[in-house]
Amino acid sequence: MVLLEAKNVAKSYGGLKVLTDLNFHVNSGEIVGVIGPNGAGKTTFMNLVSCLSPITSGTITYKGIRLNDKKPHEIAKLGIARTFQVVKPFGGLSVLENVMVGAFYGKRNLKSKAEARDAAEEAISIVGLLDVKDKDPRILPLAKRKKLEVARALAMKPDLLLLDEVMAGLSMKELEDITEEILKLKQKGITMLVIEHVMKAIMKISDRILVLHLGQKIFEGTPKEVVEEPAVIQAYLGAKFAEKGK
Amino acid sequence: MKDKKIILFFLFLAVLIFLPYIVSGYWLRVLTQTFLFASIATGSNIIIGFTGYPAFGNIAFFGVGAYVTGVMTTTYNVPFLVTLPFCALSGFVLAGILGIPILRLKGHYFAIATVGIMETIKEIVDNMVETTGGGMGLTLPIMVGEPEFIYKYFYYVMMLCMLLSVLICYIISRIKIGYALRAIRVDEDAASVMGINTPLYKTLAWAVSAALVGIAGGIYAYWLSYIDPHTVFGGTYPVKMFAMILLGGATTVTGPLIGAFILEIISELVWSKFIAIHGMVLGLLIICIILFIPKGIFETFKGGFSFRKLLNNLRENSL
Ligand SMILES: Nc1ncnc2c1ncn2[C@@H]1O[C@H](COP(=O)(O)OP(=O)(O)OP(=O)(O)O)[C@@H](O)[C@H]1O
Ligand SMILES: [Mg+2]
């Protein structure tokens, strides 16, 4: 079943065309990876899905609902949660309270503090931040603030989770952990759209990968197809990677 | 820690309740004035500190409240206490309506827009000569009774107003909506994608804040029994209110109240002896607060007092 679908989506900022004629979809239960060079338009697409900025033309639908003219909070209530590439922790609130916001206002819309706290602790334990749950996120290292982004999104109990470069700056061990967790979330039925530069991880978790370059889809296919595609190698991966991949 | 704070607050409250039986009329007036500022600062802090929208002109609703009570008691002979819910209601509705367009602005732009609102309402009141008396001001019916009784009466009414503001702030900080406001304060994009209807919550926060400030205005009008547009819409109120909020700590429930007590009592003890330079000293003090302790005395001196912290703040601010 198609969960998210983009039809002829375009986005410009003034005269700058950032996305052109993008068509693709995400099926329920899938993990779709999104890769591409810097400035390809990956984050921009995510912003369109979460309605943080308006679509210039084309349509995005989710569960058959047109998202174009929705507000960001309505998107959240529909069951879409996201992280930010440039992390946006709520300073002044503890890690736990940050995640409670997600539990309070996400799809579950919990009312009581006790329920929200339980839900938040569950999400925090998934990403492994229990030891810092009472800390102010501003004092945490970037890798942990990225995990906080994921925890906040998870506390919203989304059906579709959009992850924007949550693995940047993680150690090998942490990378392994987070890929495990992502696969576990998939088992739980969460559909994911994952923007990532860490090729090893994206290859492992993705069912399909979408490759963007200069605002256009240059390829779409299984991880194996992607690394063998000459256009992708040329635009993004580089010849060195192609050799290593063999 | 939390229990200690609550015990301290109730101790403070007990002292305030018994104070009128110990101190003189002069000090009762000073304290009533302090409660007034504490009410304004605490009420305004819902939009300013909790939500992060610097509503510099929030005093507009103080003036509205004052004139609601003024006009209702003079023209329509409504009993004073009955007017207070109307003060709250007018603040709530007015901020609720104005908030929809104005709360799209942020930071300085929002602050300036609220000042614009304050000036506009002042002009309107100034020009509605038949109902408000215009620039001549409005004289309210004077409460009858022994001076001692009247002092105590306003002392307790203003204290209740302050306590109502503190109570509402406390409740907001504890329940679900408090989380939304604090999230909005830090990052509205992040708050909205997490499911918070940011325009709605901002407007609600401003409306509640305006309602509380409106009640304070109503009590003020009846207390002084004379109001005019130039004192109730502006004057030194906005600056003092901001200084009190910053001094005590904008992100806390009781910070603005503590700030109000410190500033008003100091003002009364020291500067009233130097009337001529009163305004100048106040100005200097406010500049110092903003430069050295913009996060409030409690946040700044958590681990004890030190000059280094003051200098660090100065350095960070000037960046
Ligand atoms: N608000 C904006 N106004 C103008 N241009 C923008 C805006 N946001 C993004 N852009 C431009 O759109 C293009 C795509 O940006 P986007 O952030 O989507 O890239 P990305 O694929 O996520 O890259 P990265 O891998 O670096 O995160 C860039 O050229 C960027 O400069
Ligand atoms: Mg990006």
Side-chain angles (χ1 to χ4, degrees):
Chain A
M1 193 193 99
V2 176
L3 189 67
L4 183 79
E5 184 165 34
K7 273 195 188 149
N8 308 320
V9 168
K11 172 73 188 176
S12 335
Y13 288 107
L16 179 70
K17 284 184 182 161
V18 178
L19 282 175
T20 39
D21 205 28
L22 182 63
N23 286 287
F24 95 105
H25 68 273
V26 180
N27 293 316
S28 268
E30 260 188 324
I31 296 183
V32 175
V34 182
I35 61 172
N38 293 114
K42 306 180 295 292
T43 300
T44 301
F45 179 69
M46 213 168 254
N47 289 344
L48 297 184
V49 174
S50 47
C51 289
L52 277 180
S53 68
I55 300 177
T56 307
S57 66
T59 52
I60 298 179
T61 53
Y62 167 78
K63 293 182 176 170
I65 304 164
R66 194 180 132 97
L67 300 187
N68 288 43
D69 304 310
K70 295 247 181 278
K71 297 273 180 299
H73 66 93
E74 295 169 329
I75 299 297
K77 296 285 198 278
L78 286 173
I80 303 179
R82 69 169 288 177
T83 67
F84 287 96
Q85 180 178 355
V86 179
V87 293
K88 294 173 178 289
F90 300 130
L93 276 73
S94 68
V95 166
L96 179 69
E97 289 172 320
N98 263 268
V99 182
M100 282 169 73
V101 174
F104 271 133
Y105 289 96
K107 191 180 155 208
R108 265 188 294 191
N109 212 12
L110 298 176
K111 297 281 184 292
S112 94
K113 250 169 114 170
E115 282 176 317
R117 188 175 300 123
D118 290 346
E121 291 201 338
E122 191 192 324
I124 290 172
S125 79
I126 290 177
V127 301
L129 285 181
L130 273 180
D131 53 328
V132 292
K133 75 178 162 84
D134 296 319
K135 294 260 179 340
D136 189 312
R138 286 174 295 192
I139 64 161
L140 298 179
L142 182 62
K144 290 196 173 169
R145 278 182 280 151
K146 293 237 164 188
K147 288 181 177 175
L148 172 59
E149 289 281 322
V150 180
R152 286 199 311 200
L154 285 178
M156 295 165 66
K157 269 281 177 309
D159 300 317
L160 174 64
L161 179 58
L162 314 172
L163 300 176
D164 194 351
E165 295 195 25
V166 290
M167 299 180 195
L170 297 190
S171 70
M172 284 309 271
K173 168 81 176 64
E174 286 174 316
L175 267 178
E176 271 166 32
D177 290 349
I178 200 161
T179 38
E180 282 310 305
E181 287 307 335
I182 288 176
L183 290 170
K184 271 192 217 160
L185 293 174
K186 183 186 172 184
Q187 304 254 285
K188 286 185 192 162
I190 301 181
T191 308
M192 276 171 272
L193 188 68
V194 184
I195 299 177
E196 201 50 69
H197 284 296
V198 183
M199 278 309 288
K200 208 178 132 202
I202 201 86
M203 294 276 294
K204 189 168 169 201
I205 59 173
S206 304
D207 296 300
R208 280 187 299 129
I209 294 177
L210 169 75
V211 189
L212 292 180
H213 181 43
L214 297 173
Q216 280 178 315
K217 175 165 95 176
I218 58 167
F219 192 72
E220 187 184 341
T222 63
K224 193 163 173 299
E225 288 164 355
V226 163
V227 289
E228 286 168 1
E229 170 63 32
V232 178
I233 293 171
Q234 205 205 340
Y236 180 56
L237 300 174
K240 218 170 160 192
F241 185 89
E243 270 159 36
K244 235 183 3 191
K246 271 178 193 160
Chain B
M1 179 65 194
K2 201 154 235 166
D3 289 344
K4 220 167 89 187
K5 265 189 194 166
I6 291 174
I7 292 171
L8 256 171
F9 184 78
F10 279 101
L11 220 74
F12 169 72
L13 199 62
V15 171
L16 290 186
I17 290 172
F18 289 108
L19 223 47
Y21 299 94
I22 308 165
V23 301
S24 68
Y26 166 76
W27 275 101
L28 283 190
R29 283 186 71 90
V30 171
L31 283 166
T32 308
Q33 170 92 358
T34 309
F35 297 159
L36 170 73
F37 272 108
S39 307
I40 295 173
T42 305
S44 299
N45 196 40
I46 297 173
I47 184 72
I48 295 173
F50 286 14
T51 322
Y53 275 75
F56 201 72
N58 223 29
I59 293 301
F61 307 109
F62 173 78
V64 168
Y67 271 93
V68 166
T69 295
V71 172
M72 282 178 88
T73 50
T74 49
T75 315
Y76 303 101
N77 288 320
V78 179
F80 158 63
L81 289 177
V82 178
T83 66
L84 295 183
F86 291 92
C87 299
L89 190 70
S90 5
F92 190 91
V93 172
L94 204 58
I97 293 169
L98 290 169
I100 296 164
I102 303 292
L103 284 163
R104 289 162 176 267
L105 304 169
K106 281 188 187 151
H108 311 87
Y109 299 101
F110 174 76
I112 290 167
T114 62
V115 173
I117 288 172
M118 183 175 81
E119 291 297 327
T120 310
I121 299 178
K122 177 164 87 182
E123 283 306 311
I124 294 172
V125 170
D126 212 353
N127 283 297
M128 284 169 55
V129 180
E130 297 204 343
T131 8
T132 64
M136 296 285 291
L138 186 64
T139 306
L140 283 77
I142 291 178
M143 197 175 161
V144 280
E146 292 285 313
E148 276 302 307
F149 170 78
I150 292 173
Y151 283 155
K152 283 196 182 112
Y153 179 82
F154 284 107
Y155 176 94
Y156 285 120
V157 172
M158 205 64 101
M159 187 170 98
L160 282 177
C161 175
M162 173 182 83
L163 291 178
L164 177 73
S165 300
V166 173
L167 181 70
I168 288 185
C169 275
Y170 179 73
I171 292 172
I172 289 176
S173 76
R174 303 279 298 175
I175 60 173
K176 183 173 166 174
I177 182 174
Y179 288 75
L181 299 185
R182 288 187 289 163
I184 289 171
R185 175 180 74 212
V186 184
D187 195 307
E188 264 179 68
D189 279 349
S192 67
V193 303
M194 289 176 80
I196 296 168
N197 184 345
T198 52
L200 175 74
Y201 283 103
K202 286 189 289 188
T203 310
L204 205 61
W206 200 22
V208 171
S209 160
L212 291 172
V213 173
I215 298 175
I219 302 172
Y220 168 89
Y222 197 59
W223 179 38
L224 288 206
S225 67
Y226 171 80
I227 49 176
D228 74 274
H230 294 275
T231 26
V232 296
F233 292 102
T236 56
Y237 286 103
V239 179
K240 273 180 128 178
M241 166 188 91
F242 241 81
M244 287 162 177
I245 291 175
L246 293 176
L247 180 65
T251 56
T252 60
V253 174
T254 49
L257 175 139
I258 294 167
F261 271 79
I262 296 176
L263 266 191
E264 275 303 297
I265 306 279
I266 290 182
S267 158
E268 219 35 64
L269 283 178
V270 187
W271 310 332
S272 53
K273 314 238 177 345
F274 309 98
I275 287 290
I277 56 164
H278 180 277
M280 193 180 83
V281 177
L282 177 68
L284 278 175
L285 194 77
I286 287 166
I287 293 172
C288 289
I289 291 170
I290 291 165
L291 283 179
F292 294 106
I293 40 175
K295 286 183 188 139
I297 41 174
F298 296 100
E299 181 75 21
T300 309
F301 302 123
K302 235 175 206 165
F305 177 86
S306 86
F307 282 106
R308 226 197 42 233
K309 286 178 187 165
L310 293 180
L311 288 176
N312 279 347
N313 274 335
L314 181 63
R315 200 166 326 132
E316 277 170 35
N317 285 335
S318 54
L319 281 178

